[in-house]
Amino acid sequence: MAALKAAGVFRILAPKAVGGFGMGMETYANVIRRLAQGCTSTAWTAGHLAEHVWMLARWPRQVQQEVFANGPAPMAAATGAPLGTAEMVPGGYSISGTWSFASGVMHSEWALLAVHDGDTRLQCLVPVSELELLDVWHTAGLRGTGSNDLRAHALFVPDYRTLDWSLLAAADNPGSRIHPDPIIHAPVAVLLNMVAPAAALGAAEYAVELFRERMMVRKVKNTGENRQADSPLGQARFSQAYGLLATARLHWEEALRMVSASHERRLPPLSDEERAAYRLSLALSGAASAEAVQLVAAGSGGSIYRLAHPLQRIQRDVNVLLNHPTLSIDPILEQAGRGLLGLEITIPSF
């Protein structure tokens, strides 16, 4: 965390007016990808924490003055799974709930919590110190993210630190009236859906690189070659993994191209067909990345499953990524198909 802060990673999406860099989607996505070439958990956590700075910059001025008072990169976790409950009380809301998957919470001062007040979804900004932190993140993969649960009961949240989710998520949000930085005008869903595929791609790139290095020196039992790289079957396996990685990269770059040009020029929001193509490209990129990792792991021998070896960690991390809603292939294929066929997309957050 200290190295990431020193490098300015959390300032990437922060508006220039508060001391941030005001950078765009392409830079943000590539930072996640490059970090994942070392550690997927680091990439995941850093990507979300940087994204949450961007979310705070979308709030009205009073909140921004509070959260950016100590610098351009306030640390905040965000979670909406499941939604908590909110009851209107004098001066604000009383909220209760248990929220899971609060990535970055171990390093955060703030928490962005989703609640429902009747049929209205709200986001509440709460100091982490006012919440109960539940140590439940004991998982097979992405272990380093510390994505623990948060709990509150009848916690008072002042009115100015609550905001209608539909307003926060829109291109025309309160922060877009304050900051000219193009990225503040992007719909929330665009960035929310980028972290997992960028992390999966970077992890797969690292896995294929490790496989290449291993093949050049590894002697495979029950074969006549001196090293795996001399085996025709080993050569075929490597070329297949390399090709899958190229597929993943092309899909990912196509998704980036679709949204980054639109945001930089502040074009109208993506149409349903464009949204469908964007999510489909990211999902197919994630699937190809995971397939490349599985192919590499299956051809690397039993010693990679020692906990000290990075390939077993990459495999576990990517398996968890594939189950995140932003890469879960079945519902994405369904909604993407509707959008591409000119039918109505039925999930607003898609």
Side-chain angles (χ1 to χ4, degrees):
M1 285 297 294
L4 290 167
K5 288 178 181 178
V9 168
F10 304 118
R11 298 168 61 190
I12 289 173
L13 300 176
K16 293 179 181 178
V18 301
F21 300 136
M23 293 176 172
M25 176 77 161
E26 189 169 345
T27 300
Y28 168 69
N30 272 292
V31 166
I32 298 169
R33 172 186 172 187
R34 291 294 296 272
L35 287 172
Q37 291 171 6
C39 172
T40 318
S41 288
T42 301
W44 178 266
T45 305
H48 280 294
L49 287 173
E51 172 194 282
H52 300 160
V53 174
W54 169 76
M55 290 179 71
L56 291 172
R58 302 166 73 89
W59 282 69
R61 192 178 299 275
Q62 184 177 359
V63 163
Q64 294 200 37
Q65 289 174 337
E66 183 175 11
V67 298
F68 290 111
N70 296 320
M75 296 291 94
T79 173
L83 293 176
T85 60
E87 179 183 354
M88 188 176 290
V89 296
Y93 289 87
S94 174
I95 69 169
S96 298
T98 300
W99 296 266
S100 298
F101 311 117
S103 297
V105 70
M106 307 301 292
H107 312 285
S108 295
E109 176 186 1
W110 297 95
L112 292 157
L113 304 175
V115 299
H116 61 84
D117 175 25
D119 295 331
T120 303
R121 174 172 172 167
L122 303 172
Q123 189 167 71
C124 296
L125 178 62
V126 178
V128 169
S129 59
E130 296 181 3
L131 299 165
E132 182 183 0
L133 177 64
L134 305 178
D135 181 12
V136 297
W137 190 249
H138 306 288
T139 57
L142 292 182
R143 293 170 64 90
T145 68
S147 303
N148 286 302
D149 289 7
L150 295 168
R151 185 160 60 197
H153 177 69
L155 176 65
F156 175 72
V157 182
D159 186 66
Y160 79 94
R161 283 209 249 112
T162 64
L163 190 62
D164 189 307
W165 172 256
S166 62
L167 180 59
L168 179 70
D172 184 13
N173 56 80
S176 70
R177 310 290 180 90
I178 301 171
H179 303 293
D181 310 72
I183 195 66
I184 302 297
H185 298 256
V188 159
V190 172
L191 264 70
L192 290 181
N193 290 315
M194 176 52 74
V195 180
L201 176 59
E205 289 173 326
Y206 185 27
V208 172
E209 178 187 341
L210 290 171
F211 187 41
R212 184 185 188 282
E213 294 172 355
R214 189 172 178 80
M215 288 184 68
M216 301 305 291
V217 297
R218 178 174 175 245
K219 173 68 171 73
V220 181
K221 291 183 179 179
N222 303 318
T223 64
E225 289 82 14
N226 290 323
R227 57 183 185 171
Q228 191 174 9
D230 298 320
S231 164
L233 290 175
Q235 294 158 9
R237 180 179 289 273
F238 180 79
S239 63
Q240 188 177 1
Y242 186 94
L244 285 166
L245 190 57
T247 298
R249 190 180 295 118
L250 288 169
H251 276 301
W252 187 78
E253 289 172 348
E254 172 63 8
L256 263 186
R257 183 198 62 78
M258 277 190 282
V259 298
S260 60
S262 171
H263 296 155
E264 290 301 322
R265 296 197 303 271
R266 296 195 188 173
L267 297 177
L270 299 177
S271 66
D272 277 3
E273 184 175 351
E274 290 169 328
R275 288 166 61 199
Y278 172 66
R279 290 299 307 279
L280 180 62
S281 287
L282 290 179
L284 294 176
S285 174
S289 294
E291 191 174 351
V293 169
Q294 299 302 327
L295 195 66
V296 163
S300 295
S303 64
I304 69 160
Y305 292 98
R306 293 190 175 103
L307 292 180
H309 201 286
L311 271 175
Q312 55 79 31
R313 173 173 54 81
I314 293 169
Q315 186 178 29
R316 290 186 289 107
D317 290 344
V318 170
N319 285 343
V320 174
L321 284 176
L322 282 185
N323 286 279
H324 191 267
T326 54
L327 283 182
S328 185
I329 193 70
D330 289 349
I332 292 174
L333 290 177
E334 176 189 345
Q335 292 297 314
R338 294 185 64 85
L340 294 171
L341 289 168
L343 306 174
E344 182 182 2
I345 292 176
T346 56
I347 306 299
S349 61
F350 182 76

